[in-house]
Amino acid sequence: MTDETTNQGIPMPEGVSHVIDTDYEIGQDNLETSVGRFDLDIHNPVFLISASCIVLFVAYALLAPGQASDFFGWLRPTLTSNFDWFFMWAANIFVLFCLALIMSPYGSVRLGGEDAEPDYSYLGWFAMLFAAGMGIGLMFFGVLEPVYYFGTPYGDAPLGAPRPFGEDSVLISENVEAARRMALAATSYHWALHPWAIYAVVALALALFSYNKGLPLTIRSAFYPIFGERVWGWTGHVIDTLAVFATLFGLATSLGFGAQQANAGLEYIYGIPNTVTVQVLLITAITAVATISVMRGLDGGVKVLSEINMAIAFVLLLFILFVAGAATILSGFGRGILAYFSEIIPLSNPHGREDTGYVHGWTAFYWAWWISWSPFVGMFIARVSRGRTVREFLTCVLIIPSMVCVFWMAVFGGAAIEQVIADPTGSAVKAQVLDTYNPPLSLFAMLGALPFSAVTSTIAIVLVIVFFVTSSDSGSLVIDTITAGGKVDAPIPQRVFWCVFEGLVAIALLLGGGLEALQAMVISTGLPFTVVLLLICVAIIQGLRQEWRTLARDAASNQGSA
């Protein structure tokens, strides 16, 4: 491998690659200044606009929480009920697009140039991908979602699946298996191919146009085939600013979920009050830890924490699997996979649906959340995926994590459903999910029915917190790269700024409406960024076609000279 790099830490393509000829230099529009002892190197105007808007938003939510709560309460259902079809069709396109690329000749193109080699082992690569992409969500929804779909009393069962409970929580035996099957299928739909296809599209575009084309590692670079040199002007400024907003609010939603779940666990195990005040203190403390991690950088902070968290999560997964009944859970996992593939088409169809509670309340929110996360997760995946072929990249990012997520949901959700079936009147899981709907407590209710519940619940709290930290610090690295004009080694104070404001946005949303506010903002930022992702698909095709033609010409030239 060559030691030659661009002037801001992005390696030059190795071997044959189609480098775009542009006069733009990374950081040419940046403002380099100092505030006291702190150096700054920020992109003008992306940093100034996005930072100012975020500061104003935090001030509004903190100074007028009642008004903010009313606004967020109106915004969320308005968006999901009117744009559910748009989110769902876009997500379907992303899945088909990724599968087509895997099977196409373009799959042999190597990210970083023909001679590039991977920077990380498979274990380290997958650990970082997994922790950043799904961590807090798996912990928060692993029990909640399958159990909710299994026995929802609110009339929004996926595809109108039969409800397994009659009067006074009496089980209707002939409905149990159909309800369980649909619960696993509907959960897998939200955590398998579709979200990872969304991430893969952004990650592939960033890796391709940065490592192969020599452009800055920012969202705007992916649009060079469409807009040409205009991406360095206001067209690109708007794209990158939208990416910052989407990333920040997507992260804030996850951090809010994590704080609520950690607080619920602390109350359940140690009696610490479950209040917004405690959640604010949790966010503050964990943001401080994330700040330390982000100062250590990608390898010294995020990578180490991701690998530790992956190991702890794997141990907890195995414990639940074997203690709760491996044979039953594995059988349910197999049935769930089959159900997922048999129901994926009707679940993906946004038209003529009667289960509007499922479509609006869950699917539309999830797709908006994944799309909001996509700049963050996509750029993070791109930074650690150099040296992989497009086919290898998409297969690993799309297929393997999907199977892991489905297995996770089958283990956690399957164990919880078995508890509900075994004791429909006294199950703690049923009480927290179906009777009172207390989402943050669902995981701990399931663990409470297993041996060593205090130990496993404490481990779960630690997992949530470390996932919180890895999401925050890796997200800060990504936002800092965007707002530094593509520089991957910008001054540390900028990373600290974004890390702190991620925590402040999460606090502001919790005070300004709780879960409703978190979901409303992630949907509102995900909506315009969906259009950005659809255009990125067009740009990827054009970029890969150029790479393929360059490789073909080089191969023909070598044959001719031989």
Side-chain angles (χ1 to χ4, degrees):
M1 294 177 61
T2 180
D3 292 330
E4 182 183 11
T5 61
T6 66
N7 61 341
Q8 296 301 334
I10 299 175
M12 291 292 290
E14 299 182 53
V16 178
S17 186
H18 180 271
V19 178
I20 290 177
D21 184 17
T22 176
D23 293 332
Y24 182 83
E25 295 182 5
I26 296 176
Q28 71 175 34
D29 297 324
N30 284 20
L31 298 176
E32 298 186 31
T33 185
S34 297
V35 179
R37 298 173 56 188
F38 302 115
D39 295 328
L40 296 178
D41 189 353
I42 57 178
H43 187 277
N44 178 34
V46 174
F47 181 94
L48 298 177
I49 293 175
S50 54
S52 299
C53 290
I54 294 300
V55 170
L56 291 174
F57 172 83
V58 170
Y60 164 69
L62 294 179
L63 294 175
Q67 186 182 68
S69 179
D70 292 340
F71 171 71
F72 294 136
W74 165 82
L75 182 62
R76 184 191 183 282
T78 300
L79 292 175
T80 54
S81 60
N82 288 298
F83 293 99
D84 57 313
W85 63 271
F86 181 62
F87 285 123
M88 293 179 72
W89 272 118
N92 293 339
I93 290 171
F94 299 142
V95 172
L96 296 174
F97 177 75
C98 290
L99 294 176
L101 285 182
I102 290 174
M103 295 182 289
S104 76
Y106 296 155
S108 61
V109 172
R110 186 170 297 276
L111 301 174
E114 188 178 24
D115 299 331
E117 297 179 3
D119 295 327
Y120 298 96
S121 67
Y122 275 111
L123 180 61
W125 182 41
F126 182 70
M128 288 188 283
L129 182 155
F130 178 78
M134 289 295 180
I136 291 176
L138 288 177
M139 297 297 294
F140 192 90
F141 292 100
V143 170
L144 172 68
E145 196 171 350
V147 173
Y148 182 85
Y149 298 154
F150 173 73
T152 173
Y154 306 107
D156 54 358
L159 299 178
R163 188 165 183 261
F165 298 109
E167 297 294 330
D168 300 323
S169 297
V170 175
L171 277 176
I172 305 173
S173 57
E174 59 268 26
N175 290 350
V176 169
E177 191 53 42
R180 175 162 42 192
R181 175 182 177 277
M182 183 54 68
L184 294 175
T187 302
S188 299
Y189 170 59
H190 289 152
W191 293 87
L193 293 176
H194 285 76
W196 291 100
I198 292 168
Y199 295 159
V201 165
V202 178
L204 177 59
L206 289 169
L208 176 66
F209 286 95
S210 179
Y211 297 137
N212 292 66
K213 309 295 186 182
L215 300 181
L217 191 64
T218 59
I219 303 295
R220 71 172 73 197
S221 294
F223 287 84
Y224 192 92
I226 299 175
F227 298 114
E229 292 292 319
R230 284 179 292 169
V231 298
W232 314 127
W234 273 103
T235 301
H237 299 339
V238 171
I239 292 170
D240 278 351
T241 302
L242 280 175
V244 171
F245 290 152
T247 303
L248 199 65
F249 285 111
L251 277 167
T253 299
S254 297
L255 302 186
F257 283 149
Q260 290 184 328
Q261 188 173 32
N263 192 182
L266 290 170
E267 180 186 44
Y268 192 74
I269 303 300
Y270 301 109
I272 297 175
N274 188 357
T275 64
V276 173
T277 300
V278 174
Q279 291 165 21
V280 169
L281 292 175
L282 276 171
I283 293 175
T284 303
I286 297 172
T287 299
V289 176
T291 301
I292 296 173
S293 177
V294 82
M295 292 172 68
R296 290 176 57 87
L298 187 65
D299 292 332
V302 179
K303 181 175 181 289
V304 173
L305 285 174
S306 297
E307 291 177 344
I308 292 173
N309 226 29
M310 185 177 178
I312 297 173
F314 184 67
V315 170
L316 182 62
L317 182 76
L318 289 180
F319 173 82
I320 295 173
L321 174 64
F322 289 106
V323 171
T328 302
I329 291 176
L330 290 175
S331 175
F333 169 63
R335 291 194 299 270
I337 288 288
L338 293 175
Y340 168 61
F341 284 109
S342 65
E343 302 292 346
I344 188 171
I345 293 178
L347 286 170
S348 302
N349 174 32
H351 305 294
R353 299 282 290 271
E354 296 183 2
D355 53 343
T356 54
Y358 173 77
V359 174
H360 296 164
W362 293 86
T363 302
F365 161 69
Y366 268 130
W367 291 174
W369 190 16
W370 304 147
I371 289 168
S372 291
W373 260 53
S374 64
F376 150 53
V377 181
M379 186 174 292
F380 186 72
I381 293 173
R383 285 190 63 177
V384 299
S385 299
R386 183 177 173 274
R388 311 288 178 181
T389 66
V390 169
R391 183 172 295 111
E392 177 187 17
F393 171 85
L394 288 176
T395 300
C396 290
V397 174
L398 186 64
I399 306 299
I400 297 175
S402 294
M403 296 300 295
V404 173
C405 289
V406 171
F407 185 66
W408 181 283
M409 291 297 184
V411 172
F412 280 70
I417 289 173
E418 287 300 319
Q419 292 177 9
V420 174
I421 294 172
D423 186 8
T425 57
S427 167
V429 172
K430 182 175 181 293
Q432 298 298 337
V433 176
L434 301 178
D435 296 340
T436 62
Y437 194 64
N438 189 357
L441 265 181
S442 57
L443 171 62
F444 302 103
M446 184 272 288
L447 293 175
L450 301 177
F452 311 110
S453 60
V455 175
T456 56
S457 295
T458 301
I459 290 174
I461 294 171
V462 171
L463 271 174
V464 170
I465 290 173
V466 181
F467 274 132
F468 193 142
V469 172
T470 54
S471 295
S472 182
D473 60 9
S474 52
S476 301
L477 291 171
V478 166
I479 296 176
D480 183 45
T481 299
I482 297 173
T483 57
K487 292 186 176 182
V488 297
D489 55 358
I492 290 176
Q494 296 170 208
R495 305 178 195 171
V496 173
F497 171 85
W498 289 114
C499 192
V500 170
F501 266 85
E502 285 163 19
L504 287 176
V505 169
I507 290 171
L509 288 172
L510 282 177
L511 295 176
L515 283 175
E516 196 76 20
L518 293 168
Q519 295 176 352
M521 286 311 300
V522 81
I523 293 169
S524 63
T525 53
L527 183 61
F529 208 74
T530 304
V531 178
V532 173
L533 261 64
L534 290 170
L535 290 175
I536 282 178
C537 292
V538 177
I540 287 174
I541 292 296
Q542 295 185 28
L544 287 175
R545 182 184 296 120
Q546 292 171 339
E547 287 294 302
W548 180 255
R549 288 175 177 172
T550 300
L551 291 171
R553 283 197 301 266
D554 181 72
S557 175
N558 289 336
Q559 288 179 352
S561 61

